[in-house]
Amino acid sequence: MNALLLVAHGSRKESSNTEVKQLALQMQRLTDGKFDLVKHGFLELAEPSIPGAIDDCVKCGATHITVVPYFLSAGRHVTEDIPEEIAIGQKNNPAVEITVSGYLGARSEIAELLIKAAVYAQGGRQ
Amino acid sequence: MNALLLVAHGSRKESSNTEVKQLALQMQRLTDGKFDLVKHGFLELAEPSIPGAIDDCVKCGATHITVVPYFLSAGRHVTEDIPEEIAIGQKNNPAVEITVSGYLGARSEIAELLIKAAVYAQGGRQ
């Protein structure tokens, strides 16, 4: 069973954490069979933690987890902190196979998305 | 003349700031005439500041600026800090018209983009 784990920073502002939960639910609806399960986890300031979310995925039957960092830049969180947290989850669940995808900001589609946001704000103004 | 101003948080890590500069350059190439000019600015920790970037746009001839927040959630930065910085830029440049678009994380396409990242990481694994 194939799980996708969306990993966000986590915020003291509960509404920001709720945005992440809603996004994971939206992804669950859109996954179209590519993943059996979509869960979310937070690096800090909110629950579930990354190791906790990995435990949850395994409890739900996941044999493979793809972690997707919901981050815009390759800062310390992406390069060091998330891998460290995943290593803890892997240690606690040695049988599960874990893959980490590129972070969101690395996607080439972002530039066009930002232009679209700007055009929309203008109401099509040239 | 119509400018797009990409606004990011800013980082102590210069490579993260460079990612933003590169993104603005990529957007400049993709704008396809919708914007005459694409600039970038940072909320904190890096230059140019948002008021500084607004000055730059006006110096280049911008009469309208669309600010696009490169942020994932509607936290304090998006709801309070960026509007405050824009207000300073507007005060310094009273003739320019400034519009603010939705922040990146509000785009409905993000969910599909994250699923794509996960599928790519798996090399198409089902």
Side-chain angles (χ1 to χ4, degrees):
Chain A
M1 188 194 257
N2 207 8
L4 187 160
L5 174 55
L6 178 68
V7 168
H9 185 279
S11 171
R12 284 187 187 84
K13 196 171 170 180
E14 198 42 43
S15 62
S16 294
N17 300 329
T18 302
E19 281 186 73
V20 173
K21 288 176 214 171
Q22 296 294 342
L23 178 58
L25 288 172
Q26 191 192 351
M27 290 167 70
Q28 179 80 64
R29 287 192 297 272
L30 290 171
T31 182
D32 195 24
K34 293 185 191 85
F35 296 90
D36 305 299
L37 186 69
V38 178
K39 294 262 183 197
H40 68 278
F42 298 102
L43 182 60
E44 51 191 48
L45 303 171
E47 292 288 331
S49 66
I50 296 172
I54 290 172
D55 288 349
D56 290 346
C57 289
V58 171
K59 275 178 201 154
C60 291
T63 51
H64 188 279
I65 302 172
T66 303
V67 177
V68 183
Y70 188 47
F71 284 75
L72 290 177
S73 71
R76 188 174 44 84
H77 289 324
V78 166
T79 60
E80 295 173 36
D81 301 338
I82 291 176
E84 278 175 25
E85 293 289 299
I86 290 172
I88 296 169
Q90 178 74 80
K91 201 175 166 192
N92 296 339
N93 300 279
V96 74
E97 193 186 340
I98 304 179
T99 304
V100 186
S101 84
Y103 59 100
L104 176 65
R107 297 294 308 180
S108 61
E109 297 93 334
I110 293 284
E112 286 195 11
L113 220 55
L114 291 163
I115 293 171
K116 265 171 119 171
V119 169
Y120 183 80
Q122 292 191 311
R125 185 182 185 284
Q126 291 296 318
Chain B
M1 189 193 259
N2 207 9
L4 187 161
L5 175 55
L6 178 68
V7 167
H9 186 279
S11 171
R12 284 187 188 84
K13 197 170 169 179
E14 198 41 43
S15 62
S16 294
N17 300 329
T18 302
E19 281 186 75
V20 173
K21 289 177 213 171
Q22 296 294 341
L23 178 58
L25 288 172
Q26 191 193 352
M27 290 167 70
Q28 178 79 64
R29 286 192 297 273
L30 290 171
T31 181
D32 195 25
K34 294 186 192 84
F35 296 90
D36 305 299
L37 186 68
V38 178
K39 294 263 183 195
H40 68 278
F42 297 101
L43 183 60
E44 51 191 48
L45 302 171
E47 293 289 331
S49 67
I50 297 172
I54 290 172
D55 288 348
D56 289 346
C57 289
V58 172
K59 276 179 202 153
C60 291
T63 51
H64 188 278
I65 302 173
T66 304
V67 177
V68 183
Y70 188 48
F71 284 75
L72 291 177
S73 71
R76 188 175 43 84
H77 289 325
V78 166
T79 60
E80 295 173 35
D81 301 338
I82 291 176
E84 278 174 25
E85 292 289 300
I86 291 172
I88 296 168
Q90 178 74 81
K91 200 175 167 193
N92 296 340
N93 300 279
V96 74
E97 193 186 341
I98 304 178
T99 304
V100 186
S101 84
Y103 60 100
L104 176 64
R107 296 296 305 180
S108 61
E109 298 92 336
I110 293 285
E112 287 197 9
L113 220 54
L114 291 162
I115 293 171
K116 266 172 120 170
V119 170
Y120 183 81
Q122 292 192 309
R125 186 181 185 285
Q126 289 297 315

